[in-house]
Amino acid sequence: MTEPAPRSRRKRMTGKERREQLLGIGRTLFAERGLDGTSVEEIAAAAGVSKPVVYEHFGGKEGLYAVVVDREFERLLGLVTDALLAGTHYRQKLEKAALALLEYIEESSDGFRILVRDSHGGTGTGSFASLLSEIAGHVEHLLAREFDRHGYDDKHAPMYAQMLVGMVALTGQWWLDVRKPGREEVAAHVVNLAWNGLSGLEPKPTLDPKRRRKERERLRRVREKEAAKQEKAEEKAAAKAEKAQRKARRDEPAKPDQFEQLHEHDQFDEHDRPDEPGPAAGLGEADELDRADEPGTPGPQPAEETEHGLDTPAPGRSY
């Protein structure tokens, strides 16, 4: 009868290994359930140890949670800080920082969930608020130098730093669950808004400088074409309006000028008074006497007595 094979003993972990095991298990449970929803019993059962082992290494779940948060805090802060220092151009720095955050979210989703779920403003070191404040401090120094270089007031640099960091962080929280579009496309759109503003958004943002230059050149050609088309349309509309005005002037009846109107009025007056005498017929007897009294005006001549009787004066003879 064969003897049963001895049961293999499980390899005993060192203190360091056990600590790392508990940190990994705690990280997963805290991300899934939060600090309040996770118990020491659940952590110990998942690790295959008794509760005293957890207390021995961390003093309880709160101690374990604090170490997990601090680790994630330092990791994300380091990634973003290195990205800000790596870029040569300020747009490139912003691109790298946004991409670093999205990469962390994609590769360490549990860690990011822990940072944003239970960490609120005023909870001290390791909270998400303090993390953003640390990152904003680095961004503030970069903005202050850039503001000075352009002659802007650098006292507003802290405010702008909070705006930029908050925009990227909130976008990251949204993307944590949706995961669409891809991280590079999301980073390109974030930088598009931060760098260009709403009034100058690029239709097809990208992190590739060469593609960005090509897109700008394409947009320039499109705008020039649209401007030329608009100018041509305006010229055509102006020509059409002028043609319509000329046609309207041709179609309306001719109006006599002022002189012609006065002349027609005078003719109407003359024809309207047919019985009135002319200038000579209008002189009465008194008018004839008045003319006779005028010097140099011959008066009525007496009739000359001839053999045939009275006759009119001979021409040229005066009496």
Side-chain angles (χ1 to χ4, degrees):
M1 187 174 181
T2 60
E3 295 181 1
R7 300 175 61 181
S8 58
R9 291 186 178 182
R10 187 173 53 183
K11 181 181 178 181
R12 185 179 182 86
M13 291 185 181
T14 63
K16 183 178 180 180
E17 291 172 340
R18 180 66 68 186
R19 182 180 177 86
E20 291 299 323
Q21 180 203 27
L22 292 174
L23 285 171
I25 292 173
R27 183 174 180 267
T28 301
L29 292 175
F30 291 142
E32 180 183 349
R33 306 175 187 179
L35 174 62
D36 296 335
T38 304
S39 64
V40 176
E41 290 82 357
E42 291 172 326
I43 297 172
V49 297
S50 61
K51 289 170 52 178
V53 176
V54 179
Y55 288 113
E56 177 185 351
H57 285 278
F58 300 102
K61 69 173 185 179
E62 290 79 6
L64 176 59
Y65 178 80
V67 175
V68 171
V69 170
D70 286 343
R71 280 193 172 189
E72 298 302 325
F73 179 96
E74 293 297 331
R75 182 183 177 193
L76 179 54
L77 179 61
L79 290 172
V80 176
T81 302
D82 292 344
L84 290 171
L85 297 175
T88 55
H89 186 268
Y90 283 95
R91 175 165 183 160
Q92 189 181 40
K93 291 177 182 292
L94 184 57
E95 290 173 348
K96 288 183 175 296
L99 194 57
L101 173 63
L102 295 173
E103 286 177 350
Y104 169 80
I105 293 173
E106 188 173 55
E107 298 171 1
S108 303
S109 300
D110 287 345
F112 190 72
R113 289 183 190 278
I114 292 171
L115 289 175
V116 300
R117 169 178 285 174
D118 298 311
S119 299
H120 307 286
T123 57
T125 304
S127 69
F128 191 57
S130 61
L131 171 65
L132 297 183
S133 181
E134 288 277 353
I135 296 174
H138 290 281
V139 175
E140 177 185 335
H141 292 303
L142 295 175
L143 289 178
R145 290 200 299 267
E146 187 70 3
F147 281 12
D148 288 339
R149 193 166 69 90
H150 287 85
Y152 301 152
D153 191 348
D154 60 359
K155 73 178 182 180
H156 297 305
M159 178 175 63
Y160 278 91
Q162 294 290 337
M163 293 176 187
L164 288 173
V165 173
M167 180 173 62
V168 177
L170 287 176
T171 304
Q173 289 182 253
W174 165 80
W175 190 71
L176 175 65
D177 295 319
V178 297
R179 298 299 177 95
K180 290 181 180 180
R183 66 186 184 190
E184 291 193 356
E185 187 175 351
V186 173
H189 282 280
V190 169
V191 175
N192 186 22
L193 177 59
W195 190 260
N196 297 311
L198 288 174
S199 62
L201 287 177
E202 299 168 353
K204 297 180 180 180
T206 175
L207 300 180
D208 187 350
K210 293 182 179 180
R211 290 176 57 189
R212 197 158 53 235
R213 283 193 296 269
K214 289 182 180 179
E215 179 64 15
R216 282 199 298 265
E217 181 62 23
R218 185 189 70 82
L219 289 176
R220 184 187 64 79
R221 291 194 299 267
V222 169
R223 292 191 186 101
E224 289 178 353
K225 186 176 180 180
E226 290 177 349
K229 185 177 179 180
Q230 179 67 21
E231 184 178 358
K232 187 175 180 180
E234 291 175 355
E235 291 176 354
K236 185 176 180 181
K240 186 176 180 180
E242 185 178 355
K243 183 178 179 181
Q245 290 177 356
R246 289 199 302 267
K247 185 177 183 300
R249 286 196 296 267
R250 287 197 305 267
D251 294 343
E252 66 183 8
K255 296 181 180 179
D257 57 17
Q258 185 177 5
F259 176 77
E260 291 176 346
Q261 291 178 352
L262 291 175
H263 182 65
E264 291 177 357
H265 181 70
D266 293 341
Q267 289 180 346
F268 173 79
D269 289 345
E270 290 178 1
H271 294 131
D272 197 38
R273 295 189 300 271
D275 298 335
E276 292 184 5
L283 294 176
E285 184 178 352
D287 295 331
E288 290 289 345
L289 293 176
D290 290 341
R291 292 182 62 186
D293 292 339
E294 294 178 2
T297 304
Q301 301 297 324
E304 185 177 1
E305 189 174 352
T306 64
E307 58 179 345
H308 299 290
L310 294 177
D311 196 2
T312 58
R317 293 177 64 183
S318 61
Y319 291 91

